[in-house]
Amino acid sequence: MVRMTVLASGSKGNSTVVSSSRTRILVDAGLSCRELFKRMLAAGEDPRTLDAILVTHEHQDHVQGLAVTARKLGIPVYFTEPTHRAWVRWMTPRKRLTYADWLAQRKQQAEAAASSEAALNIEIEEKEAFEEEQAIDLNGVADPMSAASKMEARRETDPCALPGGVEYFSAGQGFSVGDIAVTPFTIPHDAADPVGFVFEAEGIRIGLATDLGYMPANAAMRLRRCDVLMLESNHDLDMLRDGPYPWSVKQRVMSRVGHLSNHAAAEFLEESYDGQAAYVVLAHISESNNLPELARISAERALRDHMSLLANKLLLATQEAPLESIVL
């Protein structure tokens, strides 16, 4: 049995569970850990059975609950290396000093150094810090418990700590998590190294392609022969143009590294899609610049010539609640 459950899809958070009989994968963790677990349980998915988290890209609506979820479950997280670096930068933003702040900092340091008492305290503190770093007891023997405690404290204070480990993959190079074969492919989006995925287990193929400005040939090829296809249908062009977003944001959304419109999704379904999926799931539907029925009508018109889909389903993923699980 292969199962896909969309926990959330939209600009406020994205997450999907893909599972086989033996393996469960969480694709993105764009909701808080508490909300992810709540939605999994509501959908009949046990969070404790997850084997790994896979990340498509580092934008907040895909990684918001990643660190806490991975730490609570102690499971590995799979990134491309550039996405991992970008995520670490996002998790640990650097404070930029003004010149005035830098001068004030230097003045404080100079005043502290001028005081003999302060200098003595600094020397003592440095000695204590060194001894703690070396984890030395009074007999000069390394204390493994102290070292372990120090490592645990470091994990607790490091927002990027992932005790279950980090695994790197590269777009175009397949890998496996348990008995699920994973094929990542490059997609055009304004992130460090964004990818879509095709999952294959027990003869079933599931394709996920959201957050892409247009449908490139490599992605269209990867999405052939899928039994389930999850495709972005983000915005209605007229609603976006007339909507509340600043013009700079509208340009980003409509660009070739933005998001697929209803029209672009329909164009792919009509011209490049092979019609093999039992389920087509429209995803990442904007709450501000789209309506579910507009996305549905656009996709239904595009699919009308695919006779194999007459008895199959077109589903819409939402932001507010999990989509009913698809089981094949």
Side-chain angles (χ1 to χ4, degrees), residues 148-166:
S149 298
K150 188 180 73 170
M151 181 64 71
E152 185 61 31
R154 184 176 297 171
R155 283 177 176 172
E156 290 177 0
T157 58
D158 181 2
C160 301
L162 297 171
V166 171

mmCIF file of all heavy atoms in Angstrom, residues 148-166:
data_model
loop_
_atom_site.group_PDB
_atom_site.id
_atom_site.type_symbol
_atom_site.label_atom_id
_atom_site.label_comp_id
_atom_site.label_asym_id
_atom_site.label_seq_id
_atom_site.Cartn_x
_atom_site.Cartn_y
_atom_site.Cartn_z
ATOM 1 N N ALA A 148 29.850 14.958 27.347
ATOM 2 C CA ALA A 148 28.518 14.664 26.828
ATOM 3 C C ALA A 148 27.521 15.743 27.228
ATOM 4 O O ALA A 148 26.686 16.164 26.432
ATOM 5 C CB ALA A 148 28.050 13.290 27.341
ATOM 6 N N SER A 149 27.645 16.204 28.490
ATOM 7 C CA SER A 149 26.742 17.249 28.954
ATOM 8 C C SER A 149 26.951 18.526 28.163
ATOM 9 O O SER A 149 26.000 19.225 27.812
ATOM 10 C CB SER A 149 26.970 17.524 30.439
ATOM 11 O OG SER A 149 26.698 16.362 31.199
ATOM 12 N N LYS A 150 28.236 18.816 27.890
ATOM 13 C CA LYS A 150 28.524 20.023 27.123
ATOM 14 C C LYS A 150 27.960 19.917 25.712
ATOM 15 O O LYS A 150 27.398 20.877 25.175
ATOM 16 C CB LYS A 150 30.042 20.242 27.058
ATOM 17 C CG LYS A 150 30.431 21.577 26.435
ATOM 18 C CD LYS A 150 31.926 21.756 26.399
ATOM 19 C CE LYS A 150 32.531 20.855 25.350
ATOM 20 N NZ LYS A 150 33.948 21.158 25.100
ATOM 21 N N MET A 151 28.072 18.749 25.106
ATOM 22 C CA MET A 151 27.536 18.547 23.759
ATOM 23 C C MET A 151 26.016 18.704 23.759
ATOM 24 O O MET A 151 25.444 19.316 22.850
ATOM 25 C CB MET A 151 27.919 17.158 23.241
ATOM 26 C CG MET A 151 27.411 16.868 21.832
ATOM 27 S SD MET A 151 28.137 17.957 20.589
ATOM 28 C CE MET A 151 29.822 17.325 20.559
ATOM 29 N N GLU A 152 25.356 18.172 24.782
ATOM 30 C CA GLU A 152 23.900 18.288 24.868
ATOM 31 C C GLU A 152 23.485 19.754 25.024
ATOM 32 O O GLU A 152 22.523 20.216 24.408
ATOM 33 C CB GLU A 152 23.380 17.465 26.050
ATOM 34 C CG GLU A 152 21.862 17.425 26.152
ATOM 35 C CD GLU A 152 21.211 16.789 24.929
ATOM 36 O OE1 GLU A 152 21.836 15.898 24.312
ATOM 37 O OE2 GLU A 152 20.087 17.208 24.583
ATOM 38 N N ALA A 153 24.228 20.489 25.856
ATOM 39 C CA ALA A 153 23.918 21.909 26.034
ATOM 40 C C ALA A 153 24.098 22.667 24.732
ATOM 41 O O ALA A 153 23.324 23.565 24.397
ATOM 42 C CB ALA A 153 24.812 22.499 27.117
ATOM 43 N N ARG A 154 25.139 22.301 23.978
ATOM 44 C CA ARG A 154 25.374 22.964 22.700
ATOM 45 C C ARG A 154 24.241 22.690 21.730
ATOM 46 O O ARG A 154 23.804 23.562 20.994
ATOM 47 C CB ARG A 154 26.717 22.492 22.124
ATOM 48 C CG ARG A 154 27.109 23.183 20.837
ATOM 49 C CD ARG A 154 28.493 22.745 20.386
ATOM 50 N NE ARG A 154 29.517 23.116 21.361
ATOM 51 C CZ ARG A 154 30.781 22.700 21.289
ATOM 52 N NH1 ARG A 154 31.156 21.894 20.306
ATOM 53 N NH2 ARG A 154 31.656 23.086 22.188
ATOM 54 N N ARG A 155 23.748 21.456 21.733
ATOM 55 C CA ARG A 155 22.630 21.114 20.855
ATOM 56 C C ARG A 155 21.392 21.931 21.199
ATOM 57 O O ARG A 155 20.646 22.376 20.339
ATOM 58 C CB ARG A 155 22.312 19.619 20.961
ATOM 59 C CG ARG A 155 23.280 18.733 20.208
ATOM 60 C CD ARG A 155 22.931 17.283 20.426
ATOM 61 N NE ARG A 155 23.790 16.408 19.639
ATOM 62 C CZ ARG A 155 23.813 15.095 19.756
ATOM 63 N NH1 ARG A 155 23.012 14.504 20.621
ATOM 64 N NH2 ARG A 155 24.618 14.367 19.004
ATOM 65 N N GLU A 156 21.178 22.114 22.525
ATOM 66 C CA GLU A 156 20.000 22.841 22.954
ATOM 67 C C GLU A 156 20.047 24.307 22.557
ATOM 68 O O GLU A 156 19.023 24.928 22.305
ATOM 69 C CB GLU A 156 19.842 22.701 24.469
ATOM 70 C CG GLU A 156 19.435 21.293 24.903
ATOM 71 C CD GLU A 156 19.350 21.167 26.404
ATOM 72 O OE1 GLU A 156 19.605 22.196 27.086
ATOM 73 O OE2 GLU A 156 19.045 20.079 26.904
ATOM 74 N N THR A 157 21.254 24.889 22.506
ATOM 75 C CA THR A 157 21.373 26.305 22.171
ATOM 76 C C THR A 157 21.595 26.543 20.682
ATOM 77 O O THR A 157 21.467 27.673 20.227
ATOM 78 C CB THR A 157 22.537 26.931 22.953
ATOM 79 O OG1 THR A 157 23.759 26.220 22.651
ATOM 80 C CG2 THR A 157 22.284 26.857 24.452
ATOM 81 N N ASP A 158 21.927 25.524 19.924
ATOM 82 C CA ASP A 158 22.169 25.673 18.492
ATOM 83 C C ASP A 158 20.855 25.476 17.742
ATOM 84 O O ASP A 158 20.317 24.372 17.709
ATOM 85 C CB ASP A 158 23.200 24.642 18.028
ATOM 86 C CG ASP A 158 23.506 24.757 16.536
ATOM 87 O OD1 ASP A 158 22.947 25.672 15.885
ATOM 88 O OD2 ASP A 158 24.283 23.942 16.017
ATOM 89 N N PRO A 159 20.306 26.516 17.118
ATOM 90 C CA PRO A 159 19.015 26.367 16.442
ATOM 91 C C PRO A 159 19.068 25.459 15.228
ATOM 92 O O PRO A 159 18.027 25.012 14.742
ATOM 93 C CB PRO A 159 18.670 27.806 16.034
ATOM 94 C CG PRO A 159 19.988 28.496 15.930
ATOM 95 C CD PRO A 159 20.840 27.879 17.003
ATOM 96 N N CYS A 160 20.282 25.179 14.734
ATOM 97 C CA CYS A 160 20.418 24.344 13.535
ATOM 98 C C CYS A 160 20.804 22.905 13.853
ATOM 99 O O CYS A 160 21.053 22.122 12.933
ATOM 100 C CB CYS A 160 21.456 24.952 12.589
ATOM 101 S SG CYS A 160 21.045 26.608 12.054
ATOM 102 N N ALA A 161 20.873 22.567 15.135
ATOM 103 C CA ALA A 161 21.260 21.204 15.506
ATOM 104 C C ALA A 161 20.211 20.202 15.044
ATOM 105 O O ALA A 161 19.020 20.388 15.278
ATOM 106 C CB ALA A 161 21.440 21.111 17.014
ATOM 107 N N LEU A 162 20.669 19.163 14.368
ATOM 108 C CA LEU A 162 19.788 18.105 13.884
ATOM 109 C C LEU A 162 20.381 16.769 14.342
ATOM 110 O O LEU A 162 21.184 16.152 13.631
ATOM 111 C CB LEU A 162 19.669 18.152 12.357
ATOM 112 C CG LEU A 162 19.030 19.430 11.788
ATOM 113 C CD1 LEU A 162 19.164 19.466 10.268
ATOM 114 C CD2 LEU A 162 17.565 19.522 12.195
ATOM 115 N N PRO A 163 20.025 16.309 15.544
ATOM 116 C CA PRO A 163 20.640 15.103 16.109
ATOM 117 C C PRO A 163 20.481 13.862 15.249
ATOM 118 O O PRO A 163 21.297 12.950 15.306
ATOM 119 C CB PRO A 163 19.911 14.937 17.452
ATOM 120 C CG PRO A 163 19.397 16.293 17.775
ATOM 121 C CD PRO A 163 19.074 16.935 16.480
ATOM 122 N N GLY A 164 19.409 13.798 14.440
ATOM 123 C CA GLY A 164 19.215 12.636 13.577
ATOM 124 C C GLY A 164 20.118 12.622 12.366
ATOM 125 O O GLY A 164 20.175 11.632 11.628
ATOM 126 N N GLY A 165 20.819 13.730 12.136
ATOM 127 C CA GLY A 165 21.777 13.792 11.039
ATOM 128 C C GLY A 165 21.250 14.535 9.827
ATOM 129 O O GLY A 165 20.048 14.717 9.653
ATOM 130 N N VAL A 166 22.183 14.972 8.991
ATOM 131 C CA VAL A 166 21.888 15.636 7.720
ATOM 132 C C VAL A 166 22.397 14.760 6.593
ATOM 133 O O VAL A 166 23.534 14.279 6.629
ATOM 134 C CB VAL A 166 22.560 17.024 7.655
ATOM 135 C CG1 VAL A 166 22.430 17.621 6.258
ATOM 136 C CG2 VAL A 166 21.956 17.954 8.688
#
